[in-house]
Amino acid sequence: MTPPRHFLTLMDLKADEIRSLIKRAIELKSHRHQGLPHKTLEGKVLAMIFAKASTRTRVSFEAGMTQLGGSALFLSRQDTQLGRGEPIADTAKVISSMVDIVMIRTSAHTDVETFAAHSKVPVINGLTDDYHPCQILADLQTYVEARGEITGRTVCWLGDGNNVCHSWMNAARLLDFELVVACPEGYDPDTKLLSACGNRVRIERDPEQAAKGTDLLITDVWASMGQEDEQITRADTLAPYQLNRQLLETAEPGALYMHCLPAHRDEEISAELMDSSDTVIWQEAENRLHAQKALMELLLSA
Ligand code: CP
Ligand code: NVA
C-alpha cells in the first residue's frame, strides 16, 4: 500500500501543485456559484479533530466535504478519549482505519506530525501553534483572482511573526516572491525558518518602510489562541503595526490587504478597512471552502 499523502505545512506541496490546486479551487468555486454538481468525493468520510476553537475551518471543511458528496465528523478533543490521555498514535491508528481523510487543529505541531506518522489516510493541518497552511491556500487563491500570479510580487506581513506568518514564509520560498515581515523585537518569526527562506524573507522594524511599494499587506491577531493572557502587553507593543488606510497608502497603488479572521477591529486592522466596499477579506474567508475542496481532491487522488 502506498503511504498516504499529508498536508502538514505548505512545503508538502510543490509550486506547480499549488498553482494547479488554485486553478481547481477557482473552477470548483464557479461550479458552486452556478449550481453545477461536483460530487467528486462521493461516500468519502472526513474526521475533523478540534482542540481549539474555529468558525471558518470547521464550516469550510464540513460544508466542503458535503458538497463533494462525502460527509464529515466533528470531534472535539475533550469529547474524545484524546482528552482523557489516549495516546495520539493509538488514536491515529483507530480513526484512520475508519475514515478516508483527517483534519486536525491543535497546539503542538509535533502532535499533528505524530498523528500523520501513524495514520493510514491523509492528514491535513487545520492550524497548529507553528503553521496554518490551509489559510495560505485560500489567501493565494484570493490574490490570483484579484491580481493574477503572485510570483515576483512583494508582500508585507504586519505584526506578530506567528503561525500564519510562518506559512506565508513558506509560500514566499515556494512561489518565489519577496516577503517583508514588519514586527517589533521579540515578535520575530522562527529563526530557523527565517534562515531557510534565504533572501525571500526579511525583517523590517519600521512598518512604513516595510509597507512601502508592496503589492499585498497582511495581518493577523496580536494574541493567537493560547496567548490570551498576553493580550494587553501585545496590544501595547504591536500598536504601531496596525494595518490602516494611512499604511495602505504607502503601498503600491491598488495593493490588496488581507486578514485570515477572526479580527480584533481597530487593533491589528482598522474597522474602516474591514468595512471598505472593495476589501477582499470576505472573499478570502469564502475561499477557504474552495481551496480546501481542491486540497482534499488532491490528497485523495494520490
Ligand atoms: N482563519 C481561520 O482559521 O478561522 P477559524 O479560526 O474561524 O477557523
Ligand atoms: N494566529 C491565529 C490564527 C487564527 C485563525 C491563532 O493561531 O489564533
Side-chain angles (χ1 to χ4, degrees), residues 52 105 127-128 132 135 162-164 220-221 223-225 260-262:
K52 285 180 170 182
R105 167 170 286 198
L127 179 146
T128 62
H132 194 5
Q135 181 65 52
N162 65 12
N163 46 5
V164 181
D220 183 17
V221 288
S224 285
M225 289 181 273
C260 63
L261 306 179

Side-chain angles (χ1 to χ4, degrees), residues 13-57:
L13 296 181
K14 294 188 187 77
D16 59 346
E17 288 178 315
I18 294 179
R19 292 192 180 98
S20 4
L21 186 151
I22 291 168
K23 249 196 206 154
R24 177 63 179 155
I26 292 170
E27 188 177 45
L28 286 166
K29 183 174 184 173
S30 136
H31 288 352
R32 176 164 161 73
H33 288 183
Q34 291 177 72
L36 299 174
H38 47 279
K39 296 192 186 301
T40 54
L41 297 182
E42 198 113 47
K44 299 287 183 195
V45 179
L46 162 73
M48 310 185 294
I49 304 172
F50 282 92
K52 285 180 170 182
S54 167
T55 297
R56 279 142 288 266
T57 304

Side-chain angles (χ1 to χ4, degrees), residues 77-78 80-87:
R77 188 183 174 278
Q78 62 270 28
T80 61
Q81 299 289 6
L82 273 172
R84 293 181 59 250
E86 182 168 14

Side-chain angles (χ1 to χ4, degrees), residues 8-298:
L8 307 190
T9 76
L10 219 55
M11 302 309 286
D12 288 325
L13 296 181
K14 294 188 187 77
D16 59 346
E17 288 178 315
I18 294 179
R19 292 192 180 98
S20 4
L21 186 151
I22 291 168
K23 249 196 206 154
R24 177 63 179 155
I26 292 170
E27 188 177 45
L28 286 166
K29 183 174 184 173
S30 136
H31 288 352
R32 176 164 161 73
H33 288 183
Q34 291 177 72
L36 299 174
H38 47 279
K39 296 192 186 301
T40 54
L41 297 182
E42 198 113 47
K44 299 287 183 195
V45 179
L46 162 73
M48 310 185 294
I49 304 172
F50 282 92
K52 285 180 170 182
S54 167
T55 297
R56 279 142 288 266
T57 304
R58 179 179 175 181
V59 176
S60 54
F61 269 108
E62 184 161 347
M65 192 41 135
T66 309
Q67 289 160 15
L68 291 173
S71 59
L73 289 169
F74 172 77
L75 303 165
S76 79
R77 188 183 174 278
Q78 62 270 28
D79 295 330
T80 61
Q81 299 289 6
L82 273 172
R84 293 181 59 250
E86 182 168 14
I88 292 168
D90 296 358
T91 307
K93 281 180 208 158
V94 174
I95 293 181
S96 71
S97 71
M98 300 177 183
V99 304
D100 302 285
I101 185 163
V102 177
M103 189 243 53
I104 309 175
R105 167 170 286 198
T106 193
S107 301
H109 189 74
T110 49
D111 286 354
V112 176
E113 289 174 337
T114 305
F115 195 109
H118 294 89
S119 173
K120 293 190 249 313
V121 300
V123 174
I124 297 172
N125 175 3
L127 179 146
T128 62
D129 289 347
D130 297 341
Y131 297 101
H132 194 5
C134 291
Q135 181 65 52
I136 278 56
L137 294 179
D139 294 1
L140 291 169
Q141 180 187 340
T142 309
Y143 192 86
V144 169
E145 286 172 337
R147 297 285 183 271
E149 183 60 61
I150 200 164
T151 298
R153 304 284 186 168
T154 310
V155 178
C156 173
W157 173 271
L158 289 155
D160 187 21
N162 65 12
N163 46 5
V164 181
C165 175
H166 288 161
S167 289
W168 265 102
M169 289 165 70
N170 278 336
R173 59 177 163 150
L174 273 168
L175 297 176
D176 196 20
F177 57 87
E178 191 187 343
L179 177 68
V180 186
V181 177
C183 64
E185 266 175 62
Y187 293 85
D188 288 2
D190 182 72
T191 41
K192 251 170 107 183
L193 180 60
L194 187 62
S195 54
C197 292
N199 71 355
R200 297 295 67 203
V201 183
R202 68 179 168 88
I203 293 182
E204 167 63 60
R205 301 289 174 214
D206 179 345
E208 285 205 5
Q209 276 305 317
K212 216 173 177 174
T214 56
D215 302 292
L216 167 65
L217 299 174
I218 319 162
T219 194
D220 183 17
V221 288
W222 290 333
S224 285
M225 289 181 273
Q227 298 173 328
E228 289 80 1
D229 53 351
E230 295 171 34
Q231 172 68 32
I232 296 170
T233 336
R234 285 173 166 263
D236 204 38
T237 317
L238 288 153
Y241 296 83
Q242 186 190 69
L243 175 47
N244 53 34
R245 182 68 60 188
Q246 197 188 324
L247 201 67
L248 184 63
E249 277 165 8
T250 66
E252 269 299 289
L256 292 181
Y257 57 93
M258 294 187 190
H259 190 308
C260 63
L261 306 179
H264 288 174
R265 284 166 172 259
D266 287 329
E267 286 187 25
E268 75 275 2
I269 184 165
S270 66
E272 186 263 320
L273 282 190
M274 287 197 69
D275 294 331
S276 172
S277 59
D278 62 355
T279 183
V280 295
I281 284 179
W282 313 110
Q283 180 182 332
E284 180 189 1
E286 181 192 325
N287 284 343
R288 293 291 303 278
L289 174 73
H290 312 297
Q292 289 158 195
K293 281 159 87 171
L295 174 68
M296 290 191 287
E297 283 188 348
L298 174 72

